[in-house]
Structures are given as structure tokens and as C-alpha cells.
Amino acid sequence: MRRGPLTRVLGEHPVGTAFVTPYVVFLAAVFAYPLGFAVYMSFHDYFFAAPGAIVDRPFVGFDNYVTVLTDPAIRRAFGNVLIFLVINVPLTVVLSLGLANALNAAIRWRTFFRVSYYVPYVTASVAVVGVWLFLFNSNGLVNSVLGPLAPDPSWLVNSRLAMPTVAIYVTWKQLGFFILLYLAALQNVSKDLYEAASMDGAGRWKSFLNVTVPGVRPATTLVVLVATVTGANLFTEPYLLTGGGGPDGASASPVLIMYQRGIEQGHPDVGSAIGVLLVIGVLLLALIERKFVGREED
Amino acid sequence: MKLQAGLLAVVLAGSLVACGDSGGGAGDADAAAKARGPISIWYSNNAEEVAWGKQMVTAWNAGHADQKITAQEIPTGKSSEEVIGAAITAGNAPCLIFNTSPASVSQFQKQGGLVPLDSFSDGKSYIEDRSGDVAQQYKSADGKYYQLPWKSNPVMIFYNKKAFAKAGIDTTNPPLKTYDEFLATSRKVVASKAAKFAIYPAPSNEFFQSWFDFYPLYAAETGGKQLVADGKSTFASDEGKKVAGFWRTMYADKLASQEKYTGDAFVDGTAAMAVVGPWAIATYKGKVDWGVVPVPTSSGKPANEIHTFSDAKNVAMYSACKNRGTAWDVLKFATSQDQDGKFLAATGQMPLRKDVATTYADYFAKNPDYKVFADQASRTVEVPNVPNSITIWQTFRDAYSKSVIFGQQDPGEALDGAAQKVDQLVKQS
């Protein structure tokens, strides 16, 4: 069959293409262009300049990547975010699934609990950080409860505990969102399966393991991937909780360092190289997670 | 399919080109230097400075109907330096910003965002006549002035008289001249529970925090040395190590805190002392009965020999400005003796002029609290005006934070290591 000119331009389904076009343009403008430009900057001696200013921005090959990979502070920041993810992602999955399962049951005050878990997620970090500083400083509530067992130096100024404390804070703050994802997924698990499991003599725990967990696997894949991506973008929390990544860079994240190098210090080329490496790292991590967590869907 | 992929490529390339176009140029600099017409300015969002800025603009506009100023507070951002940097890149910076940090000038200059004030025939002479020798610290590496030294907030040690009295310390002449005296006084304050900490400089890792702990004491100890001088770092010297050692003892003995504080520890009574400039006096009014002394030195130098950090903010002219002739006239008007006097009266901050104390003798007679700052203003040390300035300060802060605040390395060793890195950064310029 001979294809008309419109079909040749817009494909077999022009209406579908028309619907997709705004999104393609949006993606091009806010995602593809900045990403491409960041890659370009990372291979040049690049800095921001006034319009019309005559500046030289020569191609420098992998120099910016060498700078990034040989800087102990940046390497440490990448290590820190790995520690963060190792704590944050499993904790997020376990807590949000457990709580969503509990909140899905017919319990009293269900709406109150759901709102309570969601409130930290929608509250500005700046506001809740004050509460956490009050809880976790050396004279805070947590140390008062722990008494002689309290760590010295205290949580947020302890180089071993600073990042885990930030990870726990972020887990708590974002839990409401992930609980919502699981609550939605739980609506799709057939009640028949629970009844069948009950007929087979399965208790609550066995039903949870053999019906709920497999039933919400697609949601688990999503939770793991979203938690990884948001975790890799960690910035506000270490900035506010630990005063710019202290102590001694123990809670600095790659995005925080990217901001310092790229914006504060005027080296967006090095900042871009950090960003490109972070994207590659997150993609690899996401692929690995997809392979393990999402394997039964394939 | 290929055609669709091609269309997508065109869209992507189009957006690249559209966003990559740097737009119009800055125009002919000579013509712009003479051009007159309306201009825009930004000033700080500090309430007292806003009040001064508004009256200055009103006064100018009343006499210049064809060259009006449109003024606004600097847009809110994480820091004014980032907002200004972004405005330079976008090409929409105003003509003048009365809140330009000297530490950022080298970066703004590299961006092509600043107008050298020497490009005006009376530019150099006006700056040097107004500020005297202090002006030399604000020259850029190429020997030009890209900023007009405007106002300083010489930092000194404020102490809480009530807390000192509770600790049994003399409140009119407290023993705070030498490091030993300062440490002994601090120990008394903490032991008596007059305050939880003797002093509470921000222990966080931002590059500028060293301006309020290490740098004032370093300026005092060295008789006015900058962190970098003659293309080389200076801080890994005996003087620098003495200052670092002093602060290390303060942290190790828990006389200062390693933890971030939300709020003002001095106002809240958590700390009995603070390192701060005269801008804070308005904040302390009715909250703290304070006294003020110069920062300590190891040997207890007399007050009239002590230097400190200036904590200055300056005025710069930005290259996006079309009517630079008017902007230069406004700059001179806003920093005239009359307007500087109004600024001093409104804010308590020290205009960076020669002989502030005698020029505004009436003000200081009526406001004796500020007199000591006027005297100190003649001995201030600025951040070095060198390329990579902020990277240099962050490198220093990282080493200081690790060794002095958190005790994870010997402070002397840390300063030696930081000096090597800073020397490399200076060479890159």
C-alpha cells in the first residue's frame, strides 16, 4: 500500500504520534538537552560566562574525569552514598511494606495513621530537620534516653554514624510515599489467594510471605528503583543536618560535592563529570536491582 | 521510522541551538561607559540596609528624572553569590549590586560579568581617595578595581556581661587578651555553668565559616596578613599553627561545640561569647547585655595593634549594564560622605572610608557602642582577591574542619597539607 506524505512523517498512527509529541519535546528540553550539555561540559574546560563575553573553553578529553576520580573527597562522597543506599533501600522496602500491610487491615484510627506517615513526606525538609537536630544532638532526646550508651561524639558529628543517621532520617521522611505505593499495590492482590492460603492452614505470617510479598513484587521493583534514584540524588539532608557534609566529609554526597564544585566554586565542568559518573553508577545499580528484584516478572 | 528518528534529532538539535545561543553581546564598552539613562540596582535584604537603600534611591530619583533607578532587594536564593553568578550567566544582572562579596569577585570577573571601575576616568582616584590604603586589598590580579570597597563589619569578640558576672569574671575588662587568658576565662564560664559553651563559631563545613573563627585571629596574630599573599599561601606558618592550636584546645576541651546550632547561640545564652561584627548590635538590643573586645593574640597585643577580618560587602558594576555613565554617577552618589553617614546611622556598619571616626564624630559621640568598631575598621584584613578564591577557602575549611574541629588529624599537619593544595590552586590562576 502506498503511504501518504502525512503518514510518512507521522507514522502509521498519526494521532498517537501527535499525543506523544509534546512529551518528546518536553523530554528533549528538560532531560535530553541538559544531559547532553552536561556530557559536553565534562569534556571541556567549561565555566559559565556572561552573554557576549569572549572566553576560551578548550576540549580537555578526560581531564575532568581524572580530577574527579583522583579527588579523595569525591571518592568518599560516592562511598558515602553507597552506605546510604545499603541502609536506606532495604529499610524502605521492609518498613513501607510492613506498615502498608498493617494499614491495609481493618484497624481503628486507620486514616489517622495513614496521614501521620504521610505528613513528613509533604513537609519541607528545612522544617523537619530542626526536629531531628533536637532529637539527635548531644543533649537531644535520643541521647537522654540512651544515657551512658549514647555515642561520643554524638550522632551527626560522629564520622561513623553521620551517614547512617542521615539514611534513617531520609527513610522516615519518605516512608509515607512508599507506603502509598504499596497500599495501591495491595488492592490488586486477590482476596481469593488469602482465602486459599487460609484453607491450606497458612497463618498470617505465611500468608504475608507467600501471598502478599509475591503479589506486590511489581511495586517492590518500583520502590527499590525510586528509592535508589532519589537516594543517589541526596543533597538537602546532609546539607542541613550535618552542615555541608561534615564531619570531615563523612556525610557528603556526590550531589552536594557537585553543587560545591560546580556552582559555589565555579567549576561546572568538574561538577558535570561528577554528574555523568553518578548517572552511570545509578544506571548500573538499577540494572542490577532490576535483575534481582524484578526477576519473576521477566 | 528513520524519518521519525530524524525529526526527534531535529527537535533535540534545535533545543540545543536555542539554549546554547549566548544572545546579544555586552555592546561597545566605551559607548556604554558614557551612556546615561535608567538603571537597576540590587541591595541586601537586611531591614536596615533596605531602609537606607530606599532613601538613597528616592534622593537620586528626585533630581534625575531621566536617569531613574529601579531598585529591589537581591532575589532570594541559597546565597547572594549564587544568585549573582546566575544573573551574570543569564545576562540579566542589574547595573549595580550593593552586596557583592569580595570572595566572589575573581569568579565574577572570570565570567566576564564585571565592569572594571578603572575604565571611568576618575574611577581609580575616587576609590583610593575614599578608602585610602585599605583599597589596595580590593585590587584584582590584573591591577584593576572590579569592586568599590563599600562597608565593613570588623569582627570582634562580644561577651555576655550577665554570664561573665555569674562566672565571677570582670565584666568591664575581662581577661581575653592572650590565648591563655581566653582559655582560662572560657573554662570559668563553662565550669560555672554560666553558659553551656564559652563561644560557638559555626562548626559547619561551608567555605566562608573560617572567616569567623580562624581568620580574624590569624589576621591579629600576623599583624594583618591575608590567607594568600604574593601568589603563595601564608597560613601554614608558626602564627597560623598557633591559631589552629588555640581553637583545637577550645574544641577538645568542649569550650566550643562541634555541633551545628540552629538559631543564635549568643542570643539564646548557650554561648557566652560570639565572634561577630557591628551589624549584630541591632539584633542584640534588649536581648543581651554585651561588651566587646578585640580578638585575642598569643602574646596579648594592645588593642590598637590588632587586625581582624573585615567581613566587607562591596559594590560592583555588572557588564549587563547599558547606561554605565549613570551607574558610575549613582555609585559615587551612594558612597558620598553624606550617604555613607546615612548608611552608618541606619545600619551601624562601617563605611570603608578613611577616618570614619573623625568624619562622623557626632554619630560616635551619640552612639559610643560603635566607636570601638570604627577604630577597628582601620585595621581590617580582607579575603585575598585571587582566582579560585572559593576553592581555596573550601580547601582550607576542609583541612581545618578535619583537624581543628573534629581532631582527626594534627592541625599543623593539616595546615601543611592544605597549603600545598592551595599553592597549586594559586598557580593555576
Side-chain angles (χ1 to χ4, degrees):
Chain A
M1 196 176 78
R2 189 176 166 78
R3 295 167 61 175
L6 192 67
T7 312
R8 266 185 302 182
V9 174
L10 298 176
E12 294 293 335
H13 304 286
V15 176
T17 306
F19 275 121
V20 165
T21 303
Y23 188 62
V24 170
V25 172
F26 175 79
L27 268 184
V30 305
F31 179 73
Y33 166 65
L35 184 63
F37 195 47
V39 174
Y40 171 85
M41 281 198 284
S42 71
F43 286 104
H44 289 77
D45 178 7
Y46 195 95
F47 58 93
F48 297 121
I54 300 161
V55 293
D56 191 22
R57 293 161 174 156
F59 177 77
V60 293
F62 286 96
D63 280 8
N64 291 319
Y65 290 92
V66 172
T67 303
V68 169
L69 295 170
T70 54
D71 187 330
I74 301 177
R75 286 207 305 265
R76 183 165 195 192
F78 275 96
N80 288 342
V81 89
L82 268 180
I83 295 170
F84 174 90
L85 292 175
V86 164
I87 297 168
N88 171 262
V89 177
L91 205 57
T92 298
V93 171
V94 170
L95 288 177
S96 53
L97 178 55
L99 287 165
N101 197 46
L103 293 171
N104 198 40
I107 54 166
R108 290 182 72 190
W109 302 92
R110 192 168 65 166
T111 309
F112 169 77
F113 284 118
R114 285 184 180 186
V115 171
S116 300
Y117 284 112
Y118 198 68
V119 164
Y121 179 69
V122 290
T123 308
S125 285
V126 179
V128 269
V129 153
V131 177
W132 271 65
L133 287 172
F134 167 72
L135 288 173
F136 282 93
N137 71 23
S138 52
N139 295 314
L141 202 61
V142 173
N143 282 359
S144 300
V145 172
L146 289 175
L149 295 174
D152 183 24
S154 196
W155 304 90
L156 291 163
V157 286
N158 186 311
S159 53
R160 286 188 183 162
L161 296 174
M163 203 50 167
T165 309
V166 170
I168 290 167
Y169 166 81
V170 174
T171 307
W172 166 78
K173 186 166 185 333
Q174 297 185 337
L175 210 53
F177 172 69
F178 293 112
I179 288 173
L180 270 192
L181 289 183
Y182 272 123
L183 277 172
L186 284 169
Q187 313 310 312
N188 293 328
V189 182
S190 168
K191 288 196 168 49
D192 294 349
L193 292 173
Y194 288 108
E195 281 171 20
S198 173
M199 301 262 290
D200 289 344
R204 277 188 182 179
W205 178 240
K206 280 204 165 178
S207 283
F208 177 76
L209 281 183
N210 296 315
V211 178
T212 308
V213 173
V216 296
R217 187 175 288 279
T220 302
T221 310
L222 181 67
V223 167
V224 167
L225 291 179
V226 172
T228 303
V229 172
T230 52
N233 283 317
L234 187 71
F235 172 83
T236 313
E237 290 77 9
Y239 190 83
L240 294 175
L241 275 174
T242 60
D248 181 29
S251 66
S253 66
V255 179
L256 184 72
I257 300 272
M258 198 161 88
Y259 158 75
Q260 286 181 344
R261 298 286 196 278
I263 307 295
E264 275 188 351
Q265 298 172 20
H267 299 294
D269 45 6
V270 176
S272 298
I274 297 172
V276 171
L277 290 176
L278 186 63
V279 168
I280 294 169
V282 171
L283 277 176
L284 288 174
L285 205 55
L287 281 174
I288 294 166
E289 287 172 346
R290 182 86 174 79
K291 191 170 169 59
F292 286 99
V293 187
R295 64 186 185 279
E296 286 184 15
E297 291 165 63
D298 297 332
Chain B
M1 196 64 163
K2 271 183 186 172
L3 191 58
Q4 284 167 298
L7 276 176
L8 180 60
V10 168
V11 168
L12 285 173
S15 61
L16 273 169
V17 171
C19 299
D21 182 14
S22 58
D28 180 357
D30 287 340
K34 287 173 190 147
R36 285 191 161 68
I39 65 160
S40 58
I41 68 166
W42 288 352
Y43 42 63
S44 158
N45 45 22
N46 165 305
E48 289 85 17
E49 285 187 53
V50 171
W52 168 81
K54 283 184 175 169
Q55 71 73 33
M56 185 275 288
V57 169
T58 307
W60 171 269
N61 285 350
H64 300 83
D66 58 335
Q67 300 178 60
K68 286 209 164 176
I69 303 172
T70 307
Q72 68 165 81
E73 291 174 34
I74 194 160
T76 312
K78 228 189 63 53
S79 73
S80 57
E81 288 74 29
E82 284 159 36
V83 171
I84 297 169
I88 290 172
T89 310
N92 59 8
C95 280
L96 300 170
I97 301 181
F98 287 77
N99 198 35
T100 302
S101 165
S104 298
V105 163
S106 65
Q107 201 166 301
F108 296 161
Q109 192 187 330
K110 184 182 174 189
Q111 287 183 275
L114 297 176
V115 176
L117 300 176
D118 315 56
S119 62
F120 300 95
S121 57
D122 58 342
K124 189 168 181 281
S125 58
Y126 179 76
I127 291 169
E128 292 180 349
D129 288 349
R130 178 177 173 275
S131 299
D133 294 342
V134 168
Q136 298 302 318
Q137 297 185 82
Y138 298 92
K139 263 187 183 171
S140 286
D142 62 2
K144 292 181 182 172
Y145 289 106
Y146 290 83
Q147 56 188 320
L148 180 136
W150 180 39
K151 52 134 177 178
S152 71
N153 275 288
V155 302
M156 300 182 76
I157 303 286
F158 280 68
Y159 61 92
N160 182 327
K161 286 184 177 173
K162 206 171 151 189
F164 271 36
K166 189 178 173 190
I169 302 161
D170 182 355
T171 57
T172 49
N173 189 21
L176 292 167
K177 271 188 180 171
T178 66
Y179 293 165
D180 288 343
E181 283 179 359
F182 199 101
L183 287 167
T185 299
S186 297
R187 287 191 182 107
K188 266 189 180 179
V189 167
V190 174
S192 66
K193 296 190 175 163
K196 186 164 168 40
F197 294 103
I199 197 163
Y200 211 130
S204 50
N205 209 34
E206 292 104 339
F207 70 90
F208 53 82
Q209 298 295 4
S210 295
W211 302 345
F212 305 98
D213 43 36
F214 176 86
Y215 204 41
L217 272 67
Y218 180 66
E221 191 66 23
T222 57
K225 256 188 198 165
Q226 290 190 319
L227 197 79
V228 174
D230 303 323
K232 216 170 174 334
S233 63
T234 64
F235 56 81
S237 56
D238 285 348
E239 293 102 328
K241 287 173 185 172
K242 270 184 196 166
V243 176
F246 163 75
W247 280 114
R248 176 67 208 129
T249 308
M250 291 294 291
Y251 285 105
D253 292 1
K254 299 195 185 304
L255 305 171
S257 174
Q258 296 173 316
E259 288 184 308
K260 186 181 161 78
Y261 190 82
T262 46
D264 188 325
F266 186 62
V267 171
D268 296 350
T270 304
M273 290 183 275
V275 195
V276 73
W279 67 267
I281 293 174
T283 325
Y284 299 156
K285 200 172 180 184
K287 293 175 187 161
V288 187
D289 181 13
W290 55 270
V292 66
V293 292
V295 297
T297 56
S298 62
S299 61
K301 286 181 185 175
N304 62 3
E305 286 178 22
I306 289 184
H307 288 71
T308 190
F309 171 55
S310 66
D311 194 16
K313 281 282 164 68
N314 295 335
V315 194
M317 190 183 297
Y318 290 80
S319 56
C321 183
K322 298 273 187 290
N323 296 317
R324 293 180 193 169
T326 297
W328 176 238
D329 289 344
V330 168
L331 187 43
K332 286 191 286 185
F333 173 76
T335 56
S336 60
Q337 186 173 320
D338 177 45
Q339 281 297 331
D340 277 347
K342 286 177 177 160
F343 182 78
L344 174 65
T347 68
Q349 300 180 58
M350 302 295 132
L352 270 166
R353 320 176 54 92
K354 290 181 290 192
D355 308 324
V356 171
T358 48
T359 309
Y360 305 106
D362 288 352
Y363 171 82
F364 291 110
K366 283 182 202 155
N367 301 277
D369 285 347
Y370 290 86
K371 205 171 179 181
V372 65
F373 294 99
D375 175 54
Q376 184 70 80
S378 60
R379 293 181 308 282
T380 54
V381 175
E382 189 45 82
V383 296
N385 189 355
V386 291
N388 281 324
S389 168
I390 293 174
T391 312
I392 286 168
W393 279 108
Q394 186 68 62
T395 304
F396 177 82
R397 188 66 185 175
D398 290 345
Y400 182 87
S401 175
K402 180 176 185 172
S403 59
V404 174
I405 300 176
F406 293 107
Q408 292 172 359
Q409 194 183 0
D410 171 66
E413 217 175 86
L415 292 191
D416 287 336
Q420 282 183 14
K421 289 183 197 166
V422 168
D423 288 345
Q424 289 297 320
L425 287 164
V426 176
K427 275 182 199 160
Q428 285 171 19
S429 53

